[in-house]
């Protein structure tokens, strides 16, 4: 399975939690182990979005997909 597909699969598991709070996430790119995501809806303007990105999404991706090194937010 391609890394983009693996990342999308993990994001699909997390998406209901983000949507419950009025937000969502969009996969922009995966390059050299760096996942680039766009936070949308309530997540895009939430003061806790960095924590959501790093503590929630990044941790899940690092645990589940070998080769992922970091998650970056794209605006």
């Amino acid at each position: 399975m391609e890394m983009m597909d693996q990342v999308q699969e993990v994001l699909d598991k997390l998406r209901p939690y983000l949507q419950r709070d009025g937000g969502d996430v969009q996969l922009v790119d995966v390059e050299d182990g760096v996942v680039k995501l766009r936070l949308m809806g309530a997540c895009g303007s939430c003061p806790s979005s960095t924590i959501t990105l790093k503590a929630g999404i990044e941790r899940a991706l690092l645990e589940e997909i070998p080769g992922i090194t970091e998650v970056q937010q794209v605006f």
Side-chain angles (χ1 to χ4, degrees):
M1 186 185 285
E2 194 180 310
M3 195 171 279
M4 286 279 282
D5 295 331
Q6 290 178 293
V7 170
Q8 193 62 59
E9 201 171 272
V10 174
L11 293 178
D12 287 344
K13 289 183 205 168
L14 300 174
R15 187 166 275 119
Y17 301 103
L18 298 170
Q19 289 173 340
R20 186 183 61 204
D21 293 326
D24 206 346
V25 64
Q26 176 186 17
L27 176 58
V28 177
D29 196 16
V30 179
E31 189 177 319
D32 299 325
V34 177
V35 177
K36 297 185 180 182
L37 300 175
R38 181 173 293 122
L39 293 175
M40 303 178 325
C43 290
S45 58
C46 176
S48 302
S49 64
T50 303
I51 295 165
T52 299
L53 195 71
K54 291 291 181 182
I57 299 172
E58 183 177 76
R59 192 180 73 221
L61 290 170
L62 289 173
E63 282 177 10
E64 295 204 33
I65 306 170
I68 297 294
T69 57
E70 185 185 2
V71 173
Q72 294 178 352
Q73 185 172 356
V74 176
F75 296 96

